[in-house]
Amino acid sequence: MERSQIPLHKWLVAAFLMMRGKGVSSVQLGRDLGITQESAWFMAHRLWYAMKSECGMFSGPVEVDEVYLGGKNRNRHWDKKLRNSRGGAGKTPVIGIKDRETGQVVARPVDNATQYAAEAMIESNVKRGAEVFTDESVIYHWVRNRQSVNHSRGQYVRGEVHTNGIESIWALLKRGYMGVYHWWSAKHAHRYVDECAGRYNLSGVGTLDQLSAVFAGMQGRRLTWKELVG
């Protein structure tokens, strides 16, 4: 909040509004706070930065999955339509991990949902030896201690093996994308993902604890306008 000309009580209200439901758009946030949409957008990005999850290394079992975010090709303007829209083309891939032990989630957009992206995500967030549950995607074939379900064959649960937990996060993320924000650029996708994961990770505590966590996350973190739009 350094050098912010927005009163402190409006920052508090903004954080409170973000903890409710499925998020709040910068247009609505600006109306609620009586500030411009541009100021609300900048404020939202700084709060989302503070909400970025720092969960440490997961001990497992963990669920790992990927999702593709973006509008449908048939809804694109004629000069933006893709010739081949299969396989998530034109969308932003996101890889996520949910730890069943703690219920915490980490998720990050990646340039491409490849084995190398999945490997980097898992190795930086999951302890070696932890059980890993995925679907049948080939990007996880290298994972040690991996068990999978085959969605393409209609298999969604096999004993304790499933990815229903992380897929519930994708449902929240898609609901926010379609119902609140309607669109976001690939450049800023990581902030929206941070907001969704952060809000989910704080959903099990009371409102005051949620707000305390958000403001604690501001310490040592500053996002300037130049960094945001540059």
Side-chain angles (χ1 to χ4, degrees):
M1 293 182 288
E2 184 177 346
R3 298 181 184 175
S4 174
Q5 309 213 358
I6 298 173
L8 181 59
H9 73 276
K10 292 192 176 185
W11 281 90
L12 180 62
V13 173
F16 171 76
L17 293 174
M18 287 182 182
M19 288 294 107
R20 299 190 310 167
K22 53 188 177 182
V24 57
S25 69
S26 59
V27 173
Q28 186 61 51
L29 185 62
R31 290 173 181 165
D32 291 340
L33 298 180
I35 60 178
T36 66
Q37 182 272 334
E38 185 178 65
S39 295
W41 184 75
F42 186 25
M43 171 188 272
H45 275 271
R46 285 182 283 182
L47 287 169
W48 296 340
Y49 186 27
M51 292 167 64
K52 183 176 181 180
S53 299
E54 300 292 348
C55 301
M57 297 291 284
F58 293 151
S59 298
V62 299
E63 301 173 21
V64 186
D65 194 30
E66 77 283 353
V67 69
Y68 295 85
L69 297 174
K72 295 180 179 179
N73 194 46
R74 67 171 180 264
N75 295 332
R76 298 176 188 271
H77 194 267
W78 67 268
D79 61 344
K80 299 288 194 307
K81 289 186 183 295
L82 303 174
R83 292 184 178 180
N84 182 7
S85 59
R86 295 180 179 178
K91 297 185 178 183
T92 301
V94 179
I95 296 178
I97 304 173
K98 180 176 181 179
D99 183 36
R100 289 190 182 175
E101 181 69 24
T102 63
Q104 296 290 287
V105 170
V106 293
R108 301 284 183 271
V110 294
D111 292 332
N112 295 287
T114 63
Q115 172 184 323
Y116 303 104
E119 183 177 2
M121 186 71 177
I122 292 173
E123 291 192 345
S124 61
N125 291 283
V126 181
K127 292 181 179 179
R128 288 192 176 186
E131 287 186 280
V132 178
F133 301 142
T134 74
D135 60 18
E136 73 278 12
S137 175
V138 297
I139 71 174
Y140 307 116
H141 282 186
W142 60 275
V143 179
R144 300 183 186 90
N145 300 322
R146 169 184 178 252
Q147 297 187 64
S148 64
V149 287
N150 196 322
H151 289 171
S152 62
R153 295 183 180 179
Q155 183 187 57
Y156 295 94
V157 178
R158 183 168 56 82
E160 65 175 358
V161 182
H162 61 78
T163 57
N164 295 343
I166 187 63
E167 287 173 6
S168 68
I169 310 304
W170 300 153
L172 293 174
L173 191 57
K174 289 180 178 180
R175 197 177 304 151
Y177 181 92
M178 293 184 289
V180 178
Y181 306 112
H182 307 300
W183 180 86
W184 60 57
S185 68
K187 174 182 177 181
H188 297 300
H190 61 294
R191 301 270 186 242
Y192 293 89
V193 173
D194 286 344
E195 183 265 347
C196 181
R199 184 157 40 83
Y200 179 85
N201 288 340
L202 292 171
S203 61
V205 300
T207 302
L208 291 179
D209 289 332
Q210 289 177 341
L211 296 176
S212 295
V214 172
F215 283 94
M218 289 183 172
Q219 297 182 31
R221 290 177 176 173
R222 187 187 176 206
L223 179 65
T224 66
W225 178 259
K226 184 177 181 180
E227 292 170 332
L228 181 59
V229 303

